Amino acid sequence: RRGNLSSTRVSSDVKVLPKIFKATTPREKDLSSTLPQLAPIKKPAASPRVINSPRKRKDEKAQSVQSSTASIFNANIRSDDVWEQARDLYLWKCDVAGTRPLSVPFTTGHSSALELARIGIADEDLQSLIDMASMVPYITEVNLMGNSFLTDKALVPLLICLREKSQLLAGPSLSRHHVVRLDLSECCRMGKDAIECLMNCLDDRSDAGLPHLRSFGLAKVQVPMHLCLPLAEALGLHPRLQELNIADAGYSSNRLGRTACTCVSELLRSGSLEVLNFGWNVLDRQAFAAMGEAMNTTPKLRKVMLQACSARSASGRDQPIEFFLEYLSKNDSITYLDISMNHIDYRGGLMIEDGLEKHKKLTELFISDNPLGSLGARSLIRTVARESAGLLRITADDCVASGSAAPTDQDYHQRYNMTQPGGRYKLDLERPYHRALLRMLLKACDHFRLNAATAFVDVHYSEGTYHAPQKKQDIWEVAQSGHLTATLFIDWAGLDLPPERDWEFDAFIKQYDKGRRMSPSLRKAAYVFSYWRENANKPAEQMMLLDVFSKDFILTYPQIKELASSKNSPSHEVIQRVLHTVEGGYKMQYMSMMVLQSISAYVFVKNQVQKLINFNPDNPTWHYELLLRVPSDHAVAERLMLLNRWEARLEVKLNRVDTSELGNRSKMRNILYRSRPLPTPDIFEWVMPDDELLEFDYVTGKRPGHSEMVLDAATFSRIQQLLEDVDLPEAAKLDVLRQASNFIFMTALQLREMLGLWKDDDLRGDCMLLYFFRVTDIHNEKVFRGRLTDIASTNKLRQRLGYLAFFPFIQPEYNTFVLDMSKNDQKLAANLALQYRNKEGDDNLRNYKYEDANGNEVNLPLGIPKSWDIVDNMPKSGRLTMTYICPPEERKFAFRKQFFERFGHWTCHAKEEDVMWWSLLTEAPDDVNEFMEFLISRYPDVAAVFHQIDGPGGNGLISMAELTEGINEMGCKKFKGPDEHKRIEAVFRYLDPGGEGTISKAEWMLLDQLWKEMNITLLEFVAFIARSFDYRPDVLGEAWQVLDDDKSGSISEQEWDNVVKGKLQYFGATRIIFNFLDKDDDGSVSLDEFMALDKFVDEATEHVMAVRNERRKTLVCDARDSDF
């Protein structure tokens, strides 16, 4: 024992210790010699056994305490002397008990706080201290945290000692000497006797309690079940208790049942409680609801810790913690809340946003280790950014790895979208999440100054008449039961665009984002961005924050620069994720891209955001393939979904006919998600996810006005020349055209010429799709439709644009329709064809065939039934195929124009004589095309051919015999062979669509339409050559030098095709041009034959040269003015 004592390190300030360390006499003699000043304690003459008698020791201790306490407060002796006597007594007791003295400030007399946290003392160590504690004048704090070896054997005497000391210090003048802190946390061997004694100490009705206790800890001490409620009552009734730590103290609902609710309520009865640590006590929903309700009656409560308190819901939803979170909006005192590890997902995140949106005092929130996911994180960051919320700091470590809403989740379609809150909602008001969702929707109505009673339409409530919620103390009081189904119509609230700007989609999107997305104030932005810096080494948290910015915020260029330039910041990820949020349009997007520090980073970001850069809201018609996990692609999809709803509203406003694919006014067609049709038939009810591939065609209802200015010839030629000269992939050229397409209007002939720049029909189709609604004379659309070389390409474009948008209203002749009767637009197109038949001639519909849904052909012996003239009587499925052919004399232009405006939504000011009546080479038989190739190189026009065949003084009609004779007299050898008569008959049948047996001059002029097609083809080729050689005088001579690369003096058809497409990069109708030049039909073109194109040079270049000369004069005048 002496060895243990001598090895103890004790401060040299303790004067008695050197005497003990030098002692060599027997123990009794040493102790007697070292304690001569302890007058109240006399050494008995009996054996050491008498000295160690508990009863005797207790009496002596009591005498010592009374004597020392009375002496101190009567100021008869100095306080230092009493502490020195108590210290000497402690050392003596340690030596008697054989324990090592503790070198702590209390035992050395330097502090009145008994701080023994986590030093591993046992009962014997504490018992030695109790005598000293009884002897010292007062004790202000007792901290035994973490001493798990302590039992009731030592704890009960200590508590009795504290009670007795408190009794001796009764009176207001000595209140500062009372015990104010008692921490028994982690004393896990503490038993019921100690807890009962503790309850007596806490009882405010007892004169011997601890009435001035401010802080109490009992964490990780399992309170016996029968004592949980009494202890809670004692704690709740304590008049001055401010801090309470009973984490993991056995107050779990699965242990106490309904008693846990009562315990929670009793604990929070205290009017003085400020800090509550209730963590690791697992509660059910009833207990959490009781806590939330009781918490709001504790006016001074400012700090609450509820780590790992929520039991996990068996269904995965309606976690018990949610019943507590619902009460946050009614609290006005809490400043700090820790709800880590409580299974809080995106539902709980929304409830936190709902509760803290206007909570001014709560500034810190710990919510780590919860499966918040992206949706939950969005709610938290929005709360921090709100000026009305007091929340400044959040700690959300390990919260983004899981918790995202899955399509199988029952609440997948019941989510709050701040930017697009409108939609159909089905709410179970017994669930706290659905109640919070309803409150958030009501707040959205408040934000846009809408009356909630009128904003919700088509309302159904399971418990009778539903009355709109009312506010009470600025909180929406919603029903607590029943099922509510309603549609919130709030999409266009706050949009103040005048009617004349309804079709300015870019301005509409900017104003919509400004009203729906958040822009943090300067004060709140500092805390939002500080969270970014605090997580500099946590990529998951940073990506989560960027995701929140991309979905809900508008950022300025300086803010994006701050994000990208901070330490350890992945600048390429920052830019590619939030580029679409930058305020200021394309200019600020460009500036943001310049923040990147390397070419590789720029290329990476450029590839990621390419679809965002190419997206043109003022001309959104395009085929989109968007990967929704890419933020910029997701932003494009959101904007198109928004435009889709906006255009549907405009169509209703303008009373337009619904020409959508599915009859829902949607401008989105052919929608595929994950390469499959949407799970819901209505795109307006579909909740867009955050992953997988979304593919669709968007076809706007926007149409150009009649006063739009088209490109002049020189500008259009310059654009074509740039597209031909620049060394870029074809797709990249189209991307450039998309970005500028909203500034360009063109004629049908210009679009036709531009289509000749692309190699294949897919690229031509994309170009036609891009500029189809930018053509000002769309009544001439057949002029450029002929650029598609086959029926399959035409049908593909018709499917993409829509069967009514691409319907040939003005010139439907020789169009073959294959229509799916289950689609709204195709059924309407079929009905239009029937209306044309009824108006212009029953025989105009030919080659018709109807197949049912199983693909079986249905016999129609009497033709297409007249009952099908009414849309509702048409079949709901199956496929109808038919071809429309109408002779010129039966054409009803006024009727066609009326349908064009009604179903095509165009405004047509053209008269019949303004229309370029056209025929496509793909519609005519090959024999007709060969006949035309012969005529165009020999005659000035087709009318001269008609008069030649009809002869002088003819009857104005050409029979089959006259046609055969006339062809032979012309010297046309195109049809020579055994089937000559059959081929000439095919030409005759084409020119006699009415089947009268003769060809009138009006019918013969169908060849004039083909003549125009071939003539314009030749003009386009010559214009292309002129552009390629910069309009030099001898463009044909220079072109021949390139074409005749082997210098043979002639070019075969195969060589022609290879050189024109390969070297000159011309992708027009090269075969027609070759056949025109090959006048002798020998299969080759000589220089003399090639120079036949000279007659087209002046016409092909006159407009461009005129504009160039005018500009040159202007430049000369400007130079003269400068010199002057």
Side-chain angles (χ1 to χ4, degrees), residues 627-650:
L627 196 58
L628 298 181
R629 71 168 177 269
V630 179
S632 56
D633 284 19
H634 193 279
V636 173
E638 278 193 331
R639 292 176 181 181
L640 287 168
M641 296 277 282
L642 173 63
L643 284 182
N644 189 36
R645 298 201 309 278
W646 178 251
E647 290 206 52
R649 174 178 179 267
L650 292 180

PDB file of all heavy atoms in Angstrom, residues 627-650:
ATOM      1  N   LEU A 627     -30.005  12.684 -72.021  1.00  0.00           N
ATOM      2  CA  LEU A 627     -29.619  11.813 -70.913  1.00  0.00           C
ATOM      3  C   LEU A 627     -29.877  12.582 -69.620  1.00  0.00           C
ATOM      4  O   LEU A 627     -29.146  13.514 -69.285  1.00  0.00           O
ATOM      5  CB  LEU A 627     -28.147  11.413 -71.037  1.00  0.00           C
ATOM      6  CG  LEU A 627     -27.672  10.235 -70.200  1.00  0.00           C
ATOM      7  CD1 LEU A 627     -28.476   8.978 -70.520  1.00  0.00           C
ATOM      8  CD2 LEU A 627     -26.198   9.977 -70.433  1.00  0.00           C
ATOM      9  N   LEU A 628     -30.902  12.187 -68.899  1.00  0.00           N
ATOM     10  CA  LEU A 628     -31.409  13.012 -67.808  1.00  0.00           C
ATOM     11  C   LEU A 628     -30.461  13.111 -66.622  1.00  0.00           C
ATOM     12  O   LEU A 628     -30.619  14.000 -65.786  1.00  0.00           O
ATOM     13  CB  LEU A 628     -32.767  12.478 -67.341  1.00  0.00           C
ATOM     14  CG  LEU A 628     -33.873  12.516 -68.397  1.00  0.00           C
ATOM     15  CD1 LEU A 628     -35.178  11.990 -67.832  1.00  0.00           C
ATOM     16  CD2 LEU A 628     -34.064  13.924 -68.943  1.00  0.00           C
ATOM     17  N   ARG A 629     -29.494  12.213 -66.522  1.00  0.00           N
ATOM     18  CA  ARG A 629     -28.555  12.349 -65.404  1.00  0.00           C
ATOM     19  C   ARG A 629     -27.529  13.453 -65.656  1.00  0.00           C
ATOM     20  O   ARG A 629     -26.820  13.856 -64.735  1.00  0.00           O
ATOM     21  CB  ARG A 629     -27.851  11.019 -65.154  1.00  0.00           C
ATOM     22  CG  ARG A 629     -26.847  10.609 -66.216  1.00  0.00           C
ATOM     23  CD  ARG A 629     -25.995   9.434 -65.746  1.00  0.00           C
ATOM     24  NE  ARG A 629     -25.078   8.959 -66.755  1.00  0.00           N
ATOM     25  CZ  ARG A 629     -25.335   8.010 -67.625  1.00  0.00           C
ATOM     26  NH1 ARG A 629     -26.505   7.393 -67.579  1.00  0.00           N
ATOM     27  NH2 ARG A 629     -24.451   7.646 -68.531  1.00  0.00           N
ATOM     28  N   VAL A 630     -27.435  13.934 -66.884  1.00  0.00           N
ATOM     29  CA  VAL A 630     -26.568  15.071 -67.208  1.00  0.00           C
ATOM     30  C   VAL A 630     -27.356  16.345 -66.924  1.00  0.00           C
ATOM     31  O   VAL A 630     -28.419  16.563 -67.507  1.00  0.00           O
ATOM     32  CB  VAL A 630     -26.125  15.021 -68.679  1.00  0.00           C
ATOM     33  CG1 VAL A 630     -25.254  16.222 -69.016  1.00  0.00           C
ATOM     34  CG2 VAL A 630     -25.371  13.720 -68.961  1.00  0.00           C
ATOM     35  N   PRO A 631     -26.891  17.198 -66.012  1.00  0.00           N
ATOM     36  CA  PRO A 631     -27.694  18.359 -65.600  1.00  0.00           C
ATOM     37  C   PRO A 631     -28.127  19.254 -66.750  1.00  0.00           C
ATOM     38  O   PRO A 631     -29.263  19.738 -66.764  1.00  0.00           O
ATOM     39  CB  PRO A 631     -26.760  19.098 -64.629  1.00  0.00           C
ATOM     40  CG  PRO A 631     -25.872  18.031 -64.075  1.00  0.00           C
ATOM     41  CD  PRO A 631     -25.645  17.079 -65.215  1.00  0.00           C
ATOM     42  N   SER A 632     -27.242  19.491 -67.717  1.00  0.00           N
ATOM     43  CA  SER A 632     -27.620  20.368 -68.822  1.00  0.00           C
ATOM     44  C   SER A 632     -28.700  19.723 -69.680  1.00  0.00           C
ATOM     45  O   SER A 632     -29.624  20.407 -70.155  1.00  0.00           O
ATOM     46  CB  SER A 632     -26.394  20.712 -69.670  1.00  0.00           C
ATOM     47  OG  SER A 632     -25.754  19.532 -70.137  1.00  0.00           O
ATOM     48  N   ASP A 633     -28.623  18.410 -69.908  1.00  0.00           N
ATOM     49  CA  ASP A 633     -29.674  17.722 -70.651  1.00  0.00           C
ATOM     50  C   ASP A 633     -30.989  17.768 -69.880  1.00  0.00           C
ATOM     51  O   ASP A 633     -32.066  17.954 -70.461  1.00  0.00           O
ATOM     52  CB  ASP A 633     -29.275  16.267 -70.900  1.00  0.00           C
ATOM     53  CG  ASP A 633     -28.238  16.123 -72.004  1.00  0.00           C
ATOM     54  OD1 ASP A 633     -27.586  17.140 -72.314  1.00  0.00           O
ATOM     55  OD2 ASP A 633     -28.067  15.022 -72.546  1.00  0.00           O
ATOM     56  N   HIS A 634     -30.906  17.585 -68.573  1.00  0.00           N
ATOM     57  CA  HIS A 634     -32.109  17.645 -67.739  1.00  0.00           C
ATOM     58  C   HIS A 634     -32.735  19.037 -67.810  1.00  0.00           C
ATOM     59  O   HIS A 634     -33.978  19.171 -67.853  1.00  0.00           O
ATOM     60  CB  HIS A 634     -31.747  17.301 -66.298  1.00  0.00           C
ATOM     61  CG  HIS A 634     -32.922  17.025 -65.420  1.00  0.00           C
ATOM     62  ND1 HIS A 634     -33.665  18.043 -64.851  1.00  0.00           N
ATOM     63  CD2 HIS A 634     -33.505  15.864 -65.006  1.00  0.00           C
ATOM     64  CE1 HIS A 634     -34.644  17.520 -64.128  1.00  0.00           C
ATOM     65  NE2 HIS A 634     -34.577  16.210 -64.206  1.00  0.00           N
ATOM     66  N   ALA A 635     -31.901  20.067 -67.837  1.00  0.00           N
ATOM     67  CA  ALA A 635     -32.417  21.432 -67.932  1.00  0.00           C
ATOM     68  C   ALA A 635     -33.138  21.647 -69.263  1.00  0.00           C
ATOM     69  O   ALA A 635     -34.193  22.293 -69.306  1.00  0.00           O
ATOM     70  CB  ALA A 635     -31.274  22.435 -67.780  1.00  0.00           C
ATOM     71  N   VAL A 636     -32.578  21.111 -70.350  1.00  0.00           N
ATOM     72  CA  VAL A 636     -33.235  21.232 -71.656  1.00  0.00           C
ATOM     73  C   VAL A 636     -34.584  20.520 -71.626  1.00  0.00           C
ATOM     74  O   VAL A 636     -35.594  21.040 -72.124  1.00  0.00           O
ATOM     75  CB  VAL A 636     -32.340  20.657 -72.768  1.00  0.00           C
ATOM     76  CG1 VAL A 636     -33.083  20.615 -74.097  1.00  0.00           C
ATOM     77  CG2 VAL A 636     -31.074  21.488 -72.913  1.00  0.00           C
ATOM     78  N   ALA A 637     -34.619  19.322 -71.026  1.00  0.00           N
ATOM     79  CA  ALA A 637     -35.877  18.576 -70.937  1.00  0.00           C
ATOM     80  C   ALA A 637     -36.908  19.352 -70.125  1.00  0.00           C
ATOM     81  O   ALA A 637     -38.095  19.416 -70.500  1.00  0.00           O
ATOM     82  CB  ALA A 637     -35.621  17.207 -70.320  1.00  0.00           C
ATOM     83  N   GLU A 638     -36.484  19.955 -69.023  1.00  0.00           N
ATOM     84  CA  GLU A 638     -37.416  20.735 -68.203  1.00  0.00           C
ATOM     85  C   GLU A 638     -37.975  21.928 -68.978  1.00  0.00           C
ATOM     86  O   GLU A 638     -39.164  22.239 -68.892  1.00  0.00           O
ATOM     87  CB  GLU A 638     -36.712  21.227 -66.938  1.00  0.00           C
ATOM     88  CG  GLU A 638     -36.648  20.202 -65.821  1.00  0.00           C
ATOM     89  CD  GLU A 638     -36.226  20.834 -64.509  1.00  0.00           C
ATOM     90  OE1 GLU A 638     -35.485  21.839 -64.559  1.00  0.00           O
ATOM     91  OE2 GLU A 638     -36.632  20.337 -63.450  1.00  0.00           O
ATOM     92  N   ARG A 639     -37.124  22.592 -69.746  1.00  0.00           N
ATOM     93  CA  ARG A 639     -37.583  23.753 -70.495  1.00  0.00           C
ATOM     94  C   ARG A 639     -38.559  23.344 -71.604  1.00  0.00           C
ATOM     95  O   ARG A 639     -39.533  24.057 -71.876  1.00  0.00           O
ATOM     96  CB  ARG A 639     -36.382  24.494 -71.083  1.00  0.00           C
ATOM     97  CG  ARG A 639     -35.526  25.141 -69.999  1.00  0.00           C
ATOM     98  CD  ARG A 639     -34.284  25.796 -70.529  1.00  0.00           C
ATOM     99  NE  ARG A 639     -33.489  26.382 -69.444  1.00  0.00           N
ATOM    100  CZ  ARG A 639     -32.359  27.045 -69.605  1.00  0.00           C
ATOM    101  NH1 ARG A 639     -31.881  27.227 -70.833  1.00  0.00           N
ATOM    102  NH2 ARG A 639     -31.700  27.528 -68.569  1.00  0.00           N
ATOM    103  N   LEU A 640     -38.306  22.212 -72.221  1.00  0.00           N
ATOM    104  CA  LEU A 640     -39.216  21.751 -73.254  1.00  0.00           C
ATOM    105  C   LEU A 640     -40.553  21.302 -72.658  1.00  0.00           C
ATOM    106  O   LEU A 640     -41.613  21.522 -73.262  1.00  0.00           O
ATOM    107  CB  LEU A 640     -38.571  20.611 -74.042  1.00  0.00           C
ATOM    108  CG  LEU A 640     -37.449  21.062 -74.990  1.00  0.00           C
ATOM    109  CD1 LEU A 640     -36.661  19.870 -75.502  1.00  0.00           C
ATOM    110  CD2 LEU A 640     -38.016  21.860 -76.154  1.00  0.00           C
ATOM    111  N   MET A 641     -40.497  20.666 -71.483  1.00  0.00           N
ATOM    112  CA  MET A 641     -41.749  20.310 -70.808  1.00  0.00           C
ATOM    113  C   MET A 641     -42.540  21.579 -70.459  1.00  0.00           C
ATOM    114  O   MET A 641     -43.772  21.610 -70.556  1.00  0.00           O
ATOM    115  CB  MET A 641     -41.443  19.518 -69.544  1.00  0.00           C
ATOM    116  CG  MET A 641     -40.775  18.179 -69.782  1.00  0.00           C
ATOM    117  SD  MET A 641     -41.916  16.874 -70.187  1.00  0.00           S
ATOM    118  CE  MET A 641     -42.564  16.485 -68.573  1.00  0.00           C
ATOM    119  N   LEU A 642     -41.823  22.616 -70.059  1.00  0.00           N
ATOM    120  CA  LEU A 642     -42.473  23.885 -69.738  1.00  0.00           C
ATOM    121  C   LEU A 642     -43.088  24.509 -70.991  1.00  0.00           C
ATOM    122  O   LEU A 642     -44.244  24.949 -70.981  1.00  0.00           O
ATOM    123  CB  LEU A 642     -41.454  24.836 -69.115  1.00  0.00           C
ATOM    124  CG  LEU A 642     -41.914  26.264 -68.854  1.00  0.00           C
ATOM    125  CD1 LEU A 642     -43.047  26.280 -67.845  1.00  0.00           C
ATOM    126  CD2 LEU A 642     -40.742  27.117 -68.380  1.00  0.00           C
ATOM    127  N   LEU A 643     -42.312  24.545 -72.084  1.00  0.00           N
ATOM    128  CA  LEU A 643     -42.838  25.087 -73.335  1.00  0.00           C
ATOM    129  C   LEU A 643     -44.036  24.286 -73.820  1.00  0.00           C
ATOM    130  O   LEU A 643     -44.983  24.837 -74.398  1.00  0.00           O
ATOM    131  CB  LEU A 643     -41.739  25.085 -74.407  1.00  0.00           C
ATOM    132  CG  LEU A 643     -40.659  26.154 -74.306  1.00  0.00           C
ATOM    133  CD1 LEU A 643     -39.692  26.025 -75.467  1.00  0.00           C
ATOM    134  CD2 LEU A 643     -41.270  27.546 -74.287  1.00  0.00           C
ATOM    135  N   ASN A 644     -43.987  22.979 -73.593  1.00  0.00           N
ATOM    136  CA  ASN A 644     -45.093  22.123 -74.021  1.00  0.00           C
ATOM    137  C   ASN A 644     -46.391  22.543 -73.332  1.00  0.00           C
ATOM    138  O   ASN A 644     -47.453  22.660 -73.966  1.00  0.00           O
ATOM    139  CB  ASN A 644     -44.749  20.671 -73.709  1.00  0.00           C
ATOM    140  CG  ASN A 644     -45.737  19.698 -74.305  1.00  0.00           C
ATOM    141  OD1 ASN A 644     -46.255  19.912 -75.398  1.00  0.00           O
ATOM    142  ND2 ASN A 644     -46.003  18.622 -73.609  1.00  0.00           N
ATOM    143  N   ARG A 645     -46.322  22.781 -72.031  1.00  0.00           N
ATOM    144  CA  ARG A 645     -47.508  23.206 -71.299  1.00  0.00           C
ATOM    145  C   ARG A 645     -47.942  24.615 -71.722  1.00  0.00           C
ATOM    146  O   ARG A 645     -49.135  24.909 -71.811  1.00  0.00           O
ATOM    147  CB  ARG A 645     -47.262  23.161 -69.793  1.00  0.00           C
ATOM    148  CG  ARG A 645     -46.961  21.778 -69.258  1.00  0.00           C
ATOM    149  CD  ARG A 645     -47.216  21.692 -67.765  1.00  0.00           C
ATOM    150  NE  ARG A 645     -46.581  22.739 -67.017  1.00  0.00           N
ATOM    151  CZ  ARG A 645     -45.309  22.739 -66.622  1.00  0.00           C
ATOM    152  NH1 ARG A 645     -44.544  21.700 -66.915  1.00  0.00           N
ATOM    153  NH2 ARG A 645     -44.804  23.730 -65.924  1.00  0.00           N
ATOM    154  N   TRP A 646     -46.964  25.490 -71.953  1.00  0.00           N
ATOM    155  CA  TRP A 646     -47.271  26.855 -72.355  1.00  0.00           C
ATOM    156  C   TRP A 646     -47.964  26.876 -73.722  1.00  0.00           C
ATOM    157  O   TRP A 646     -48.957  27.593 -73.921  1.00  0.00           O
ATOM    158  CB  TRP A 646     -45.986  27.665 -72.392  1.00  0.00           C
ATOM    159  CG  TRP A 646     -46.148  29.084 -72.846  1.00  0.00           C
ATOM    160  CD1 TRP A 646     -45.732  29.628 -74.019  1.00  0.00           C
ATOM    161  CD2 TRP A 646     -46.758  30.161 -72.122  1.00  0.00           C
ATOM    162  NE1 TRP A 646     -46.035  30.948 -74.087  1.00  0.00           N
ATOM    163  CE2 TRP A 646     -46.669  31.316 -72.925  1.00  0.00           C
ATOM    164  CE3 TRP A 646     -47.357  30.262 -70.877  1.00  0.00           C
ATOM    165  CZ2 TRP A 646     -47.162  32.550 -72.528  1.00  0.00           C
ATOM    166  CZ3 TRP A 646     -47.852  31.494 -70.479  1.00  0.00           C
ATOM    167  CH2 TRP A 646     -47.754  32.610 -71.283  1.00  0.00           C
ATOM    168  N   GLU A 647     -47.458  26.094 -74.659  1.00  0.00           N
ATOM    169  CA  GLU A 647     -48.065  26.075 -75.987  1.00  0.00           C
ATOM    170  C   GLU A 647     -49.459  25.446 -75.947  1.00  0.00           C
ATOM    171  O   GLU A 647     -50.352  25.864 -76.696  1.00  0.00           O
ATOM    172  CB  GLU A 647     -47.163  25.333 -76.968  1.00  0.00           C
ATOM    173  CG  GLU A 647     -45.879  26.063 -77.318  1.00  0.00           C
ATOM    174  CD  GLU A 647     -45.340  25.680 -78.678  1.00  0.00           C
ATOM    175  OE1 GLU A 647     -46.099  25.743 -79.656  1.00  0.00           O
ATOM    176  OE2 GLU A 647     -44.154  25.297 -78.759  1.00  0.00           O
ATOM    177  N   ALA A 648     -49.648  24.434 -75.112  1.00  0.00           N
ATOM    178  CA  ALA A 648     -50.986  23.853 -74.972  1.00  0.00           C
ATOM    179  C   ALA A 648     -51.967  24.914 -74.464  1.00  0.00           C
ATOM    180  O   ALA A 648     -53.121  24.985 -74.920  1.00  0.00           O
ATOM    181  CB  ALA A 648     -50.941  22.661 -74.028  1.00  0.00           C
ATOM    182  N   ARG A 649     -51.503  25.745 -73.543  1.00  0.00           N
ATOM    183  CA  ARG A 649     -52.359  26.823 -73.041  1.00  0.00           C
ATOM    184  C   ARG A 649     -52.670  27.823 -74.143  1.00  0.00           C
ATOM    185  O   ARG A 649     -53.822  28.294 -74.268  1.00  0.00           O
ATOM    186  CB  ARG A 649     -51.646  27.519 -71.878  1.00  0.00           C
ATOM    187  CG  ARG A 649     -52.350  28.753 -71.346  1.00  0.00           C
ATOM    188  CD  ARG A 649     -51.581  29.338 -70.169  1.00  0.00           C
ATOM    189  NE  ARG A 649     -52.214  30.529 -69.640  1.00  0.00           N
ATOM    190  CZ  ARG A 649     -51.924  31.769 -70.020  1.00  0.00           C
ATOM    191  NH1 ARG A 649     -50.989  31.976 -70.936  1.00  0.00           N
ATOM    192  NH2 ARG A 649     -52.533  32.812 -69.487  1.00  0.00           N
ATOM    193  N   LEU A 650     -51.668  28.181 -74.946  1.00  0.00           N
ATOM    194  CA  LEU A 650     -51.893  29.141 -76.024  1.00  0.00           C
ATOM    195  C   LEU A 650     -52.873  28.595 -77.053  1.00  0.00           C
ATOM    196  O   LEU A 650     -53.693  29.350 -77.601  1.00  0.00           O
ATOM    197  CB  LEU A 650     -50.567  29.498 -76.699  1.00  0.00           C
ATOM    198  CG  LEU A 650     -49.567  30.307 -75.862  1.00  0.00           C
ATOM    199  CD1 LEU A 650     -48.319  30.573 -76.669  1.00  0.00           C
ATOM    200  CD2 LEU A 650     -50.190  31.611 -75.395  1.00  0.00           C
TER     201      LEU A 650
END
